Amino acid sequence: MKTLRSLSLVFVFLFAIQAVAQETAPKKESLPIDKKTNCYIRYYYYPNLQAYFDNLEMVYHYKENGEWKTAPELPQNYGGYSIYNKVRVVINDYDDDKPYDLLSIHKKRFPYNSKGRFNTNTTASAE
């Protein structure tokens, strides 16, 4: 009887942990919406890295050895670049799962700048 009671307590504990984990997972509906494009503001683009940050999944999308990778942190070879001090561009016209499909457009609109500054507006939208 003790083992049955212990097992039931373990299951209740695991169920409670799972319920809390599901509640803390970000939801797309919690992201802000751009009023002009009616898209969720899900991504930031870092022109000097040619990388994206996903506000929904809380991960970076970056290219490594010719393939796109996803990770919660940028790899060491991006060292020395402060994502907080340099320019990031708000992507307000795309909220699907592959922002890197628009990389060629974003590279043209927001080219690499060694000083990390832009003279143009740093909000991307469809043309």
Side-chain angles (χ1 to χ4, degrees), residues 63-122:
K63 208 168 197 178
E64 188 174 76
N65 298 326
E67 292 189 26
W68 284 96
K69 306 282 183 174
T70 301
E73 294 182 3
L74 291 170
Q76 292 297 327
N77 61 336
Y78 285 94
Y81 184 88
S82 173
I83 59 173
Y84 302 106
N85 292 336
K86 301 296 182 181
V87 169
R88 68 179 183 185
V89 179
V90 176
I91 304 298
N92 63 357
D93 62 348
Y94 185 83
D95 57 9
D96 277 336
D97 295 328
K98 295 181 180 180
Y100 42 83
D101 287 345
L102 303 175
L103 181 64
S104 61
I105 295 168
H106 295 147
K107 282 172 58 174
K108 288 178 186 175
R109 191 175 296 145
F110 306 103
Y112 173 83
N113 184 330
S114 62
K115 295 182 181 175
R117 297 185 188 110
F118 292 90
N119 294 329
T120 61
N121 184 4
T122 57

Side-chain angles (χ1 to χ4, degrees), residues 13-33:
F13 179 72
L14 291 174
F15 180 74
I17 289 174
Q18 182 183 8
V20 169
Q22 287 177 350
E23 288 177 14
T24 59
K27 296 181 180 172
K28 197 169 190 177
E29 294 79 26
S30 67
L31 296 174
I33 296 178

